[in-house]
Amino acid sequence: MPESVEPPDEGELEPVRLPDSQLEGIEASVRRLMEESAQQARQLDHLAAAPAPGGSPFAAFGLPGFGTPPPVPSPEPRPILELEGEAYEDELDALSDWVDDWLLPVYGAEVTTAAPWCPQWQEHQDVVAWLHALWMAYQQHKDPEAGLSGMAVWHRDFLTHTIAAVRAPGGPLSACMTSPERPAHRILPGPPPSARPQKTTTQPEPADSGGPYELTA
């Protein structure tokens, strides 16, 4: 005689039993939903993160991104003789450090009558202008962007010509030190101002009035 199945008590839910094939489908759907939820969370974190510096979509065109302050342009180099006051003194001090600490120990040949020098070269304005231009060219050509031949170009086109002009026998230092044992400093007088023709202004002649008026009857 088969066992009798007792009906469930009133209010008690009978458990639902699903086939194994349906359970596998439900588990796959749950895993897929969890993966999609995790992917959406990663996308939200990426969008909420602050953009990295220089990550502007317009960086390739040299334009700043939204909310990014424009880059501050570096000051353009100026010839030293165009500077005045403290700016001139600071630039001259930096130039003197480069000349005394690097240029002369490496390229300062022996002082002779054929290659004079002056221990007070800072007072020769033309020498200051020459050496400052040489220094600026040095800074440009030692930069990696100048390529491997940058310093060779500096030697050929700037150093040789500048030293030859500054230390020429008849150059700006020819009246200064021609021997280390006889230091000297003398500034040769320059040419006087050019004699410009004076502009003469002519006064306009009064118009001919035709003489006194004659009264006629």
Side-chain angles (χ1 to χ4, degrees):
M1 180 177 182
E3 298 180 358
S4 61
V5 179
E6 298 181 358
D9 297 337
E10 186 176 356
E12 182 180 355
L13 298 178
E14 183 178 359
V16 178
R17 301 181 181 275
L18 298 176
D20 294 341
S21 59
Q22 295 184 7
L23 287 175
E24 294 177 357
I26 294 175
E27 292 178 357
S29 299
V30 172
R31 286 196 299 269
R32 184 171 61 255
L33 290 175
M34 293 178 64
E35 292 175 358
E36 293 177 355
S37 177
Q39 183 178 3
Q40 292 177 357
R42 289 193 295 268
Q43 292 177 352
L44 291 176
D45 292 341
H46 178 73
L47 294 175
S56 169
F58 309 103
F61 303 97
L63 300 176
F66 297 107
T68 304
V72 179
S74 57
E76 296 183 0
R78 295 175 57 189
I80 189 171
L81 297 185
E82 293 184 359
L83 304 178
E84 297 179 355
E86 186 176 354
Y88 175 83
E89 296 297 333
D90 293 343
E91 191 75 1
L92 184 60
D93 287 343
L95 173 63
S96 300
D97 292 340
W98 179 74
V99 171
D100 295 338
D101 298 340
W102 190 82
L103 182 66
L104 289 182
V106 178
Y107 302 102
E110 183 181 1
V111 178
T112 63
T113 55
W117 184 246
C118 181
Q120 302 179 37
W121 59 267
Q122 294 91 341
E123 299 183 18
H124 297 263
Q125 284 195 338
D126 48 355
V127 175
V128 170
W130 272 102
L131 295 179
H132 186 256
L134 180 65
W135 181 39
M136 289 196 297
Y138 170 78
Q139 296 179 68
Q140 176 185 356
H141 285 78
K142 76 171 184 177
D143 192 275
E145 294 184 357
L148 298 178
S149 62
M151 290 305 298
V153 174
W154 179 77
H155 282 81
R156 182 196 65 190
D157 294 346
F158 299 94
L159 175 67
T160 303
H161 185 61
T162 299
I163 295 299
V166 169
R167 303 188 64 179
L173 304 180
S174 58
C176 295
M177 185 173 62
T178 57
S179 173
E181 299 178 356
R182 297 188 302 274
H185 166 63
R186 179 185 175 190
I187 298 179
L188 299 176
S194 58
R196 299 183 179 182
Q198 298 293 332
K199 294 182 179 180
T200 58
T201 57
T202 57
Q203 297 294 333
E205 297 181 359
D208 188 6
S209 59
Y213 291 101
E214 296 181 358
L215 298 178
T216 58

